[in-house]
Amino acid sequence: MDLHALRQFLVVAELEHLSGAAERLRVAQPSLSRTIARLESELGSPLFDRGGRLRLNEAGRRFREHVERSLGELEAGRRAVVELAREGAGSVRLASETFLTVTGPLAAFKQVHPDTDVQLYQLPAADMARALHAREVDLCVASQPIPGDGLDSLLLHDEQVWLAVPVGHRLAGRASVTVAELRDEPFVAPRPGHWQRRLLDHLFDSAGLRPRIVCEGDEPAATAVLVGAGIGLTLIPAMARHADASAPVALVAVDHEACRRTLTLHRAADARPTTASRLLHTTLASWPWATAGERPRR
């Protein structure tokens, strides 16, 4: 059971598609099929169901968890040696749903630790626990709950989420609005899985409604600009109120107790943190999140 075969197995397990995995790995599909077959023979059990489409079975799912942890520990060991060789500079890997949230503390961190490498990963919250346990990332900042056990979690910030409407919109002068009043309004929203979309769906579902989404995409930072152009409405956190003052939007409170965002910092509880990850964890934990958007930082 060699490391090369295990790494190939993880790609096949992720994609559940041999030709797609072979293309990503840049190997011939017959060769990849033989590698998986040898692995299954060595384990004495199939790892995939092959009835029509390739599917990871229960044995495969359990094996994948152990493989991810094992390879993650090996990577952690490699990074520990590199850190010693570089006299403690090292590197840290941070995942977030959106980078706009963490730009302030990252800038402060790099100013104090310029020799430390920071690697950023944009991940949906649903993938964060797996990435932490597999040691693919050291830290995660999430704006919604992360499913999974074995995490060391720290509340960073809780803030109001506002409704952004175009200047001149019928709701622009209002102090607050109910969800029911938004039933016919068009919305600009991220794709399902993003925290803003999850919140939007929850607010409407609680009123027995569905939002009318006219623009769905993967650029949450661009939504305020689209709102200013009159395409639709959107939800933005208080922290982002001053991020783009050029966008001509008005902010209105939503009369619903759940219209808030909670930022949480996570790491694997059983991980051996590098010096760099400990330092970044401290920076994120001590960052003045409540005032981060109120004044420019140099």
Side-chain angles (χ1 to χ4, degrees):
M1 192 179 299
D2 62 79
L3 296 179
H4 186 63
L6 295 177
R7 291 190 177 99
Q8 289 191 339
F9 160 72
L10 288 181
V11 176
V12 178
E14 176 191 351
L15 300 180
E16 295 185 321
H17 196 279
L18 270 174
S19 61
E23 182 178 353
R24 178 185 292 186
L25 292 165
R26 298 184 179 180
V27 299
Q29 182 175 331
S31 174
L32 181 59
S33 296
R34 288 192 295 270
T35 297
I36 298 301
R38 283 195 300 270
L39 189 58
E40 290 176 320
S41 176
E42 188 171 351
L43 290 168
S45 172
L47 301 173
F48 298 90
D49 293 330
R50 294 172 169 82
R53 180 180 174 183
L54 196 70
R55 294 283 190 184
L56 198 66
N57 61 24
E58 181 60 26
R61 286 190 287 272
R62 292 192 181 186
F63 185 60
R64 177 177 62 180
E65 293 176 1
H66 290 282
V67 171
E68 287 177 335
R69 288 192 175 97
S70 298
L71 294 182
E73 283 299 320
L74 287 174
E75 171 61 15
R78 184 196 68 79
R79 294 175 66 215
V81 172
V82 170
E83 185 177 88
L84 284 174
R86 295 181 58 183
E87 298 182 348
S91 64
V92 57
R93 300 162 300 176
L94 172 68
S96 182
E97 293 162 282
T98 171
F99 296 142
L100 184 63
T101 300
V102 295
T103 52
L106 283 178
F109 179 80
K110 286 296 290 183
Q111 187 173 12
V112 178
H113 308 286
D115 295 330
T116 300
D117 294 328
V118 178
Q119 301 171 28
L120 299 178
Y121 298 83
Q122 190 166 15
L123 288 180
D127 293 342
M128 287 183 175
R130 185 204 60 78
L132 286 168
H133 289 309
R135 307 296 190 261
E136 294 175 1
V137 297
D138 302 302
L139 304 169
C140 290
V141 174
S143 300
Q144 58 184 301
I146 293 182
D149 299 323
L151 298 180
D152 175 11
S153 303
L154 175 69
L155 175 65
L156 295 177
H157 183 51
D158 178 79
E159 64 178 345
Q160 183 176 358
V161 175
W162 296 81
L163 177 72
V165 305
V167 173
H169 188 275
R170 66 181 183 87
L171 299 174
R174 295 275 296 273
S176 65
V177 62
T178 65
V179 176
E181 292 178 278
L182 303 174
R183 68 167 67 230
D184 297 320
E185 293 290 342
F187 274 85
V188 177
R191 298 187 191 279
H194 191 277
W195 76 267
Q196 284 166 293
R197 176 61 176 275
R198 182 175 179 269
L199 176 57
L200 180 65
D201 290 340
H202 173 70
L203 293 175
F204 273 74
D205 184 64
S206 67
L209 302 170
R210 295 184 63 183
R212 185 165 74 89
I213 297 173
V214 296
C215 178
E216 181 181 83
D218 295 321
E219 297 182 80
T223 55
V225 178
L226 294 172
V227 171
I231 303 300
L233 317 185
T234 197
L235 297 174
I236 66 170
M239 191 184 301
R241 292 177 66 181
H242 306 283
D244 187 1
S246 64
V249 301
L251 300 177
V252 183
V254 178
D255 188 13
H256 196 294
E257 62 181 6
C259 199
R260 305 190 66 81
R261 175 173 75 151
T262 300
L263 283 179
T264 310
L265 175 61
H266 303 272
R267 59 185 173 187
D270 60 349
R272 297 182 182 89
T274 63
T275 299
S277 67
R278 287 196 298 269
L279 291 171
L280 182 56
H281 187 280
T282 299
T283 299
L284 291 166
S286 60
W287 181 251
W289 295 97
T291 57
E294 294 183 2
R295 60 184 184 275
R297 294 185 174 271
R298 301 184 184 277

